[in-house]
Amino acid sequence: MLSVIAVVSGYVEELDDKFKEYLQNELWLVEFYAPWCAYCHTFEPIWHEVGAELKSMGSPVNVGKIDTTVHTRNLSFDYKGLKTKDAIIEFTNRVSGPVVRPLSSVQLFQHVISRHDLIFVYIGGESLLKKQYYKAATEYIVYTYFFTAYEEVLPKAVTLQDVPAVAVFKDGTYYLYNGKLVALAVVDEKNPSEESIRYKTLMEKLSAEYRDHYKSNYQFGYMDGNEYINGLIMGEVEMPSIIVLNMTIDGYCLPESKIETIEDLLHFLNSVLDGSAKLLGGNGFLQHTKRLFYKAKSTVVTMFQVAPFLSCFLFGLPLGIVTLIIWGTCTAVPVDDEKPVEGATASPVLDAHGKKAIELQPESTGKTSEAKKED
């Protein structure tokens, strides 16, 4: 089990519960490990290299590790990238600073573009779009960088139709976010199948040959892996597949039949535009609540996949305690505090032959009718 977290609060320090006291005024990059985890032992030299290099760089980030079988977790950002020194240091530099960084000059903008393959930039002043941008940045800072800038610092090649705007800079070009629908081929590039290659090729052909036709309605692309899409639709999207996203309302459309040709793909896109395709998802209260439950469920599933024994202990212990309390409450024998009636005897008892024994009655101060006749 391995979880690497950067939190706001050098070499590698062994931390305990007092670590929580540092959160308010220090930066920490922490490995959460288990002594029984074989991979954690394999990863340990890399973790010490990370600590050494961050210290040599003069980084304000402290590096430590916590035994999760002894101490509980209090996290801010989960690292799910490659378990390499360079990838972890890149993650640390990204999440240890502001969620959104300002680009105040042309020189700084060019420096950032030269260092990163993909960045998001908000252009303009205060607006509702800016609030939404900051919200998105807080959630996705673990994946990439987010910046703000004014028009004056942008490259001359960038042309804006409206301000404020959000631009994505990637592979030497840029794309403007304007609320368009996003048509994606969801593929697995690590294990490419013939169908994956075909879907990606179809999307590339669509983007090249039909861009002018759909430029006011669609943006085209492909996505390696379905993790993000699964979180959006709160389900499992098969790979490969085609999906259209409405990012404004967190909605999506899936084709009702299999996409075989470019004509099938065009028919699907047109059905989305004319409203005949079923719109799923959304950002209403019900969908928002379902998304919270889905994220909680995904977290629990991930815990059991990564550390099944520890997860069974964490969930089984409180469940067992509650079960014992309920069982004890239901099976408890009440104590009879009432005093026995004077002169009364025990309840009827059966003899050895199963017959009812003579039943003793409470003594009566009055005489029976037969006794009165004898008198």
Side-chain angles (χ1 to χ4, degrees):
M1 180 189 68
L2 178 65
S3 181
V4 182
I5 291 80
V7 290
V8 179
S9 43
Y11 238 70
V12 178
E13 298 183 31
E14 186 72 39
L15 303 172
D16 54 24
D17 285 337
K18 293 182 180 179
F19 163 68
K20 297 178 182 179
E21 300 174 4
Y22 310 147
L23 298 181
Q24 296 180 353
N25 51 19
E26 293 185 5
L27 294 170
W28 282 87
L29 183 69
V30 182
E31 175 198 3
F32 290 82
Y33 72 96
W36 46 260
C37 174
Y39 184 80
C40 294
H41 292 288
T42 305
F43 179 72
E44 188 171 0
I46 299 175
W47 194 242
H48 280 274
E49 289 181 14
V50 171
E53 181 152 341
L54 285 175
K55 185 174 182 181
S56 68
M57 294 167 56
S59 172
V61 178
N62 302 299
V63 179
K65 59 181 183 178
I66 289 181
D67 185 348
T68 55
T69 62
V70 179
H71 309 291
T72 57
R73 298 173 62 180
N74 187 6
L75 314 180
S76 289
F77 297 108
D78 282 336
Y79 175 69
K80 300 178 181 178
L82 298 174
K83 303 300 188 294
T84 63
K85 180 188 69 174
D86 292 341
I88 295 171
I89 290 176
E90 169 72 10
F91 167 79
T92 305
N93 292 334
R94 185 165 66 247
V95 301
S96 61
V99 173
V100 179
R101 295 169 166 85
L103 297 176
S104 55
S105 66
V106 175
Q107 293 77 13
L108 181 58
F109 191 98
Q110 293 297 335
H111 174 71
V112 168
I113 287 292
S114 65
R115 289 192 58 193
H116 304 295
D117 297 329
L118 171 68
I119 65 169
F120 287 81
V121 182
Y122 172 84
I123 304 129
E126 297 297 325
S127 68
L128 178 60
L129 178 61
K130 186 174 184 180
K131 293 180 180 179
Q132 295 174 338
Y133 179 77
Y134 269 74
K135 182 179 178 180
T138 302
E139 184 174 355
Y140 296 107
I141 186 65
V142 295
Y143 300 109
T144 189
Y145 284 91
F146 293 82
F147 298 91
T148 59
Y150 289 100
E151 292 182 75
E152 294 77 16
V153 306
L154 298 178
K156 294 181 179 179
V158 177
T159 303
L160 299 178
Q161 298 176 349
D162 296 301
V163 175
V166 174
V168 184
F169 291 85
K170 183 179 185 297
D171 298 333
T173 186
Y174 72 95
Y175 306 90
L176 295 177
Y177 170 76
N178 54 6
K180 292 180 182 179
L181 299 171
V182 180
L184 289 175
V186 184
V187 299
D188 185 0
E189 292 202 298
K190 298 181 181 63
N191 301 292
S193 63
E194 183 177 339
E195 193 173 15
S196 272
I197 297 172
R198 181 167 58 83
Y199 274 23
K200 184 179 176 181
T201 303
L202 281 176
M203 196 59 67
E204 290 174 343
K205 182 178 181 180
L206 181 69
S207 177
E209 299 181 8
Y210 294 87
R211 178 183 296 274
D212 292 339
H213 180 74
Y214 288 111
K215 65 180 180 181
S216 60
N217 299 304
Y218 279 108
Q219 290 177 335
F220 303 106
Y222 69 91
M223 178 173 288
D224 180 19
N226 60 359
E227 182 178 347
Y228 170 76
I229 302 298
N230 290 344
L232 177 66
I233 73 169
M234 296 174 285
E236 186 78 17
V237 174
E238 295 182 358
M239 291 191 295
S241 62
I242 301 292
I243 187 171
V244 170
L245 305 178
N246 187 330
M247 305 301 292
T248 306
I249 62 170
D250 291 336
Y252 63 95
C253 295
L254 294 169
E256 296 182 355
S257 57
K258 193 172 183 179
I259 303 295
E260 298 284 356
T261 63
I262 189 68
E263 288 74 20
D264 295 337
L265 183 54
L266 293 173
H267 175 74
F268 171 56
L269 297 181
N270 291 332
S271 69
V272 174
L273 292 179
D274 63 27
S276 59
K278 186 177 181 180
L279 178 63
L280 305 170
N283 55 9
F285 176 77
L286 179 60
Q287 289 295 323
H288 180 70
T289 304
K290 289 175 62 178
R291 191 163 284 114
L292 290 177
F293 278 103
Y294 176 81
K295 288 182 178 180
K297 174 187 172 184
S298 299
T299 301
V300 173
V301 171
T302 302
M303 288 178 62
F304 275 93
Q305 290 175 341
V306 174
F309 296 108
L310 179 61
S311 299
C312 288
F313 174 77
L314 292 176
F315 286 95
L317 180 61
L319 182 62
I321 293 174
V322 172
T323 302
L324 287 175
I325 292 174
I326 296 174
W327 179 82
T329 303
C330 295
T331 59
V333 178
V335 178
D336 188 3
D337 293 331
E338 296 182 0
K339 294 181 179 180
V341 177
E342 187 177 353
T345 61
S347 301
V349 180
L350 299 178
D351 61 16
H353 300 289
K355 297 181 178 180
K356 187 175 181 180
I358 298 175
E359 189 174 314
L360 299 179
Q361 299 294 334
E363 294 181 359
S364 175
T365 55
K367 295 183 177 181
T368 64
S369 58
E370 294 180 356
K372 288 182 181 179
K373 290 180 181 179
E374 292 178 359
D375 290 341

